[in-house]
Amino acid sequence: MSIFSATANTNPNKSIEVKEPPADSVSSLCFSPKANLLVATSWDNQVRCWEVTGSGTNVGTVPKASISHEQPVLCSTWKDDGTTVFSGGSDKQVKMWQLSGSQPVTVAVHDAPVKELAWIPEMNLLVTGSWDKTLRYWDLRQQNPTHIQQLPERCYALTVKHPLMVAGTADRNLIVFNLQNPQTEFKRIISPLKYQTRCLAAFPDQQGFLVGSIEGRVGVHHLDDSQLSKNFTFKCHREGNEIYAVNSLNFHPTHGTFATAGSDGSFNFWDKDSKQRLKVCYDWSKGAENHNPTAKTYIYLHFPQYFSFRSLRLKASHELELVVESEVSSKASSDHFREFISLFCTWRHLCSIVAFFCLQSCN
């Protein structure tokens, strides 16, 4: 039976639904590093911002403002001041939007759609990645890029944790940069995954990165040659013979665990060092056969304080083996700090994205 039937439950985990969501597929989510603000970009050409309000478990959202691009918006990021948003997309432009009320301005341009961008506070630069096969560095005080870095193919994914930056392109190229020398490639490797790269995430300690593919696999890669024995890949987001893309990777800012979100409509929490998984399933989307173009787009805020914990370990064959099941609580909750996950299902691309956020002074 289709999950979009009249009796289908689109919110099985009783999460908080963000008010006035986009009218079309959501392409990115990001939280302000300084305030309780959430930004989403979408295929309806919009960039929207909400304020997350409330205390304890009594949390809601208030739409704050929005801006428009001429074509679908594909990516977004915040400046470290927590009040400035960058967004890029199919109109080949990157816009800077200051939430104080000023009009957005174009701060970067490419020759093809802008797929990825990141603000690098240590360098006071914006980096943008495009399907025109370039990375471009931008000093916001100048009209032209400070440097154009040629890529071997179209940019599909980008992750930055200064001084580490990794770009993933078509043909499974992974290009590593040391941002202390940003105009020179540090290393170029072929992805350990056999199919197209979908997402990347740098380790919090900058010693390596994760790579996810359309074939339901994640690779864990260390940069130090002496640590290569710790590299491995594992399967995820699969149900029997059904294989789903890994669409998002994100590390927890405090604990170093990471989340994957996939086209099976589920998200999983992992510890790469102990090789364990914590899984909560959102049964929103099960592939193209369940796609309903008239279905509503949702954005949810979810409290992950308590989970059904399934501990899994990797066997020599890199297959996952179930060990034990128990219930655990989140390490992040306290009187002044509450951990949230923001998730959504984007119907056009049938995927979920996860972002971590710490709501300040919620009690």
Side-chain angles (χ1 to χ4, degrees):
M1 182 178 68
S2 171
I3 63 170
F4 301 112
S5 66
T7 59
N9 181 8
T10 60
N11 188 9
N13 295 285
K14 298 180 180 179
S15 300
I16 300 159
E17 183 178 340
V18 173
K19 294 182 179 179
E20 299 181 22
D24 206 339
S25 304
V26 180
S27 53
S28 74
L29 285 174
C30 57
F31 284 108
S32 167
K34 296 291 182 65
N36 302 331
L37 299 172
L38 170 67
V39 157
T41 61
S42 54
W43 280 73
D44 61 3
N45 307 355
Q46 299 291 305
V47 184
R48 292 175 173 84
C49 180
W50 297 263
E51 182 179 8
V52 182
T53 62
S55 62
T57 57
N58 184 23
V59 173
T61 57
V62 178
K64 298 294 289 183
S66 65
I67 64 169
S68 298
H69 280 244
E70 295 178 1
Q71 295 184 31
V73 193
L74 304 178
C75 52
S76 60
T77 194
W78 289 83
K79 196 177 180 183
D80 57 323
D81 63 7
T83 62
T84 304
V85 178
F86 300 99
S87 55
S90 299
D91 57 7
K92 309 175 189 177
Q93 301 178 19
V94 174
K95 293 189 177 184
M96 181 176 70
W97 176 28
Q98 294 181 325
L99 297 180
S100 59
S102 59
Q103 291 297 311
V105 295
T106 298
V107 295
V109 292
H110 277 266
D111 299 323
V114 180
K115 178 59 174 65
E116 298 288 340
L117 49 79
W119 175 254
I120 310 173
E122 296 85 355
M123 303 171 68
N124 205 33
L125 291 176
L126 178 71
V127 61
T128 56
S130 169
W131 293 341
D132 65 8
K133 305 181 184 179
T134 68
L135 290 176
R136 302 188 184 192
Y137 300 88
W138 304 86
D139 183 331
L140 301 181
R141 299 168 297 181
Q142 302 176 17
Q143 186 175 6
N144 297 318
T146 59
H147 176 66
I148 298 178
Q149 181 71 39
Q150 295 296 322
L151 297 174
E153 254 294 349
R154 291 152 292 167
C155 181
Y156 284 170
L158 182 72
T159 183
V160 177
K161 191 73 174 178
H162 190 272
L164 173 64
M165 181 173 74
V166 185
T169 75
D171 291 343
R172 299 169 48 233
N173 294 289
L174 300 174
I175 302 95
V176 181
F177 295 90
N178 180 347
L179 291 174
Q180 295 171 337
N181 186 19
Q183 299 184 12
T184 304
E185 291 185 16
F186 176 75
K187 183 182 292 187
R188 184 184 297 193
I189 64 174
I190 297 298
S191 171
L193 310 179
K194 295 180 179 180
Y195 293 89
Q196 178 182 311
T197 299
R198 179 61 64 87
C199 47
L200 293 164
F203 293 177
D205 62 6
Q206 305 97 42
Q207 298 304 304
F209 59 89
L210 307 173
V211 54
S213 79
I214 62 172
E215 192 233 352
R217 288 181 187 265
V218 170
V220 179
H221 187 86
H222 296 78
L223 294 173
D224 190 337
D225 290 342
S226 66
Q227 301 292 312
L228 294 182
S229 61
K230 294 183 178 180
N231 294 348
F232 63 95
T233 66
F234 62 92
K235 298 176 183 178
C236 54
H237 299 288
R238 299 177 177 222
E239 294 182 6
N241 293 326
E242 298 293 327
I243 300 173
Y244 300 92
V246 180
N247 296 306
S248 181
L249 293 164
N250 204 345
F251 274 97
H252 190 283
T254 303
H255 304 302
T257 52
F258 67 92
T260 63
S263 291
D264 58 347
S266 72
F267 60 96
N268 299 267
F269 294 88
W270 306 85
D271 185 327
K272 65 179 177 62
D273 298 318
S274 62
K275 299 175 182 176
Q276 292 182 331
R277 180 177 69 176
L278 181 62
K279 179 179 181 180
V280 180
C281 183
Y282 270 60
D283 191 15
W284 294 335
S285 171
K286 294 293 182 183
E289 67 274 11
N290 284 318
H291 173 51
N292 182 348
T294 64
K296 179 182 176 181
T297 297
Y298 294 92
I299 299 176
Y300 290 122
L301 295 173
H302 181 68
F303 291 91
Q305 277 80 4
Y306 296 97
F307 292 111
S308 174
F309 184 78
R310 292 189 175 185
S311 175
L312 298 99
R313 65 187 176 208
L314 291 171
K315 299 187 290 186
S317 63
H318 289 173
E319 298 293 335
L320 287 169
E321 177 185 11
L322 181 63
V323 180
V324 66
E325 182 173 337
S326 61
E327 188 170 272
V328 298
S329 62
S330 168
K331 295 181 287 185
S333 59
S334 69
D335 289 342
H336 302 289
F337 178 91
R338 190 173 299 278
E339 178 187 342
F340 280 87
I341 317 164
S342 178
L343 306 112
F344 65 82
C345 181
T346 166
W347 303 115
R348 182 188 299 252
H349 299 295
L350 301 170
C351 69
S352 300
I353 287 183
V354 60
F356 285 105
F357 172 57
C358 302
L359 181 62
Q360 304 298 323
S361 301
C362 60
N363 288 321

